[in-house]
Amino acid sequence: MNTGTTIERYVILERLGEGGMASVYLARHGILGSRHALKVLRPELANNAALRGRFLAEGRIAAQIRHPNVIDVTDVVIAPGIAGLVMEYIEGPTVDKWIDARKTPCSLEELLAIALPILDGLSEAHAYGVVHRDLKPANIVLGRDRRGAMRPVVLDFGIAKLEEDTRVQHQTHMPTKIGTRMGTPAYMSPEQIRESASVDVRTDVFACGAILYELATGHLAFAKDNEYDTMQAIVDGTFTAVQRHNPAVPAHIADAIHTALASSVHDRFPDCASLAAALVGPIKAATPARPAKPKQPAKAPQPVATRAPQTTKPTPPAKPAPPAPRRPWRGDALLNGDTVLPLRGDDARCGRSPDCDVVIDDPSVNPVHCVFAKDRGRWGVTDARSTLGTLVDGNLVVGRTLLKPGQTITVGRVDLVFREA
């Protein structure tokens, strides 16, 4: 379609891309002026009743799910020879283009910033009985939320499988033929290759494993010379260990990816939440516990000299005085719920690392996320080039931002309240 073409209430502004079944356009609502992504079925397919029904079923499936990391479908447009889905427009690169542009494996913080929201969004979809079945880097876009933090979003539930309620399957008229392979070879699960009708949420776990492998190493987990050999490698479960490509990947991340890529569904994580927990598990325990004092070896018994019996009782030893109660911190601090995080001195590094002055044990927080500093009696905060940014009352910190008592500082996804003595 050409620029300026009007379809019902929407005016075409430009073409954004094209897939196997549809083209995607940037469109403007003719009355509201809002911008949307409009996905229109290719003209040669629009008159095919089965394909048209499957395409419109994508909208009905996605419209069931309300999650910030799943694309929001807001409307449909139907005209002679035209079938389209109206979606929120998210400005940003897809993960495949983001990987190609950087040409190096991503950092642990970047990997988690992409993986954890996506796994959470998929968990929400799975709760509705929806399996995506075509997860790949090209189906994840990296947008930004209103605070400027990265917002990964899953696209394209067009070949998703409604597995829980056969009544919903009949309502959506999804013409997925039993035994038909659906998906992209390098990210397809073994069971999907054998028979797509038998898949469940674990096929999305496998695809996430393949995406995480690519993010962590810069290589495809299953990359052969042709499609047949690629699918054979997937079925056999043969791939190079993550740390062979990138030794810097932490062992627990590599183990989580390997488990997600298990060829047997019984050896794989049962759901996306379990994969997410494996990715962040060791980080949750990153702050070391205070080591116990080593036990002193027992002293050898000393010979006791024989004395004449005493006529008076010895004076009993005085009882030790009870320790003085620990006084709560009354100085400047950050409040994390009921936990008081003191701001001592004139500056304090804040992050996930146990070496920081203010330690926040959360996977969304960088090892050193931001720095609090006191100048002329006023505390301020500066972001330390963190992945998700630092915000004060919802505003992204750029440079140094002065703080007032009661303000909320968002570090990663953790909200802290500034308290002044």
Side-chain angles (χ1 to χ4, degrees), residues 52-69:
R52 185 187 181 105
R54 175 179 152 195
F55 177 76
L56 294 176
E58 175 182 351
R60 286 191 285 269
I61 293 170
Q64 297 179 54
I65 307 162
R66 285 288 182 265
H67 192 279
N69 303 108

Side-chain angles (χ1 to χ4, degrees), residues 329-335 343 374 376-380 403-407 417-421:
W329 177 258
R330 299 297 183 185
D332 299 335
L334 300 169
L335 306 181
L343 291 172
K374 196 172 186 179
R376 298 179 184 178
R378 291 286 304 277
W379 280 99
L403 299 176
K404 298 178 181 178
Q407 285 188 309
V417 177
F418 175 60
R419 185 192 76 184
E420 197 169 59

Side-chain angles (χ1 to χ4, degrees), residues 38-52:
L38 178 60
K39 187 172 185 179
V40 180
L41 194 63
R42 288 167 51 187
E44 62 269 28
L45 303 178
N47 293 322
N48 183 309
L51 290 176
R52 185 187 181 105

Side-chain angles (χ1 to χ4, degrees), residues 249-261:
V249 176
H252 75 278
I253 296 289
D255 290 343
I257 294 173
H258 295 166
T259 302
L261 291 175

